[in-house]
Amino acid sequence: MSSAPSPRTRIRRIPENADYAPSTLYAILDSHYLCHLAFHDERGPHCLPMAYWRIDDALYIHGSNGSRLMKHLAGGAPVSIAVSHLDGLVLARSAFNHSMNYRSAVIYGQFERIEGEEAKAAALDAFMDHLAPGRNAEIRRGSPQELGATIVLKISLAEAACKIRSGGAEDDEKDLHIAAWTGVLPLTMTRGEPQADADCTQPLPAYAQDWSVK
């Protein structure tokens, strides 16, 4: 998809870095766990970090049914959600040509509530699969009481846009004579070795073995 799905998702600043393809959006979302969710209520604007996961063409979050935030979002409040990966610092010959390499996504819309204990349980199973594929077979699933105390919300990914920058410095021709080092200082989120709790006697499962080699 080469065009923005809505006027507010059209990227105007450096539009050549825009990407509106669902496959790009899904790749950015699926490789992360934390989003920043912005909304407005009677107390003013807010931007909060939230755990999330994706099922098909929707993004999901969960929280306590006693949460003022979750009740507000379940009521149809308009929101904006951002997910970003910082891949490197780009150093140029001019201070104003320094940049960053990144992959980012912004989503607009309204959440809807997942109704029914079976549907909520299935959505939360998918969350566990996002965190550690295969772990659902080992652990106790949520009890009726726990599910009843939890709100699960989803938002369509239909109104979203991605912006990506990669590569080195883009110096102006007039600055090419400046004797300064130019290039990229890469940044990566690394996976460490699994750390078992002191009272854990179980062998390392496959998803934990694979954790640090991905």
Side-chain angles (χ1 to χ4, degrees), residues 1-4 9-21 24 102 104 160-165:
M1 185 165 57
S2 59
S3 60
T9 57
R10 184 167 68 86
I11 294 176
R12 295 166 174 81
R13 174 64 180 163
I14 316 180
E16 60 269 25
N17 288 351
D19 192 324
Y20 304 110
T24 302
Y102 59 87
S104 64
C162 300
K163 193 174 183 182
I164 299 172
R165 193 215 189 265

Side-chain angles (χ1 to χ4, degrees), residues 14-41:
I14 316 180
E16 60 269 25
N17 288 351
D19 192 324
Y20 304 110
S23 58
T24 302
L25 174 64
Y26 297 167
I28 291 173
L29 297 181
D30 292 349
S31 59
H32 211 22
Y33 307 92
L34 187 70
C35 69
H36 285 83
L37 192 157
F39 64 97
H40 188 280
D41 64 11

Side-chain angles (χ1 to χ4, degrees), residues 35-158:
C35 69
H36 285 83
L37 192 157
F39 64 97
H40 188 280
D41 64 11
E42 69 279 2
R43 300 184 183 183
H46 308 275
C47 184
L48 301 175
M50 298 282 292
Y52 76 87
W53 68 104
R54 180 182 70 86
I55 303 175
D56 298 329
D57 58 354
L59 180 143
Y60 288 68
I61 63 172
H62 78 297
S64 168
N65 62 10
S67 163
R68 186 175 66 89
L69 165 65
M70 298 301 288
K71 291 178 181 178
H72 181 68
L73 298 179
V79 301
S80 176
I81 302 169
V83 175
S84 59
H85 305 269
L86 182 58
D87 296 324
L89 307 179
V90 182
L91 309 186
R93 292 175 175 84
S94 162
F96 277 78
N97 279 337
H98 283 58
S99 187
M100 296 182 183
N101 286 338
Y102 59 87
R103 292 159 289 141
S104 64
V106 175
I107 303 153
Y108 294 93
Q110 296 169 289
F111 281 101
E112 61 179 280
R113 189 168 183 159
I114 302 300
E115 302 290 354
E117 302 306 283
E118 187 174 330
K120 282 200 293 185
L124 291 169
D125 283 348
F127 181 35
M128 189 59 62
D129 283 335
H130 177 56
L131 298 177
R135 188 160 177 79
N136 275 314
E138 301 176 356
I139 60 174
R140 178 181 65 81
R141 297 179 74 202
S143 68
Q145 293 75 21
E146 290 169 328
L147 287 172
T150 302
I151 295 177
V152 179
L153 303 176
K154 74 173 183 177
I155 187 171
S156 169
L157 297 175

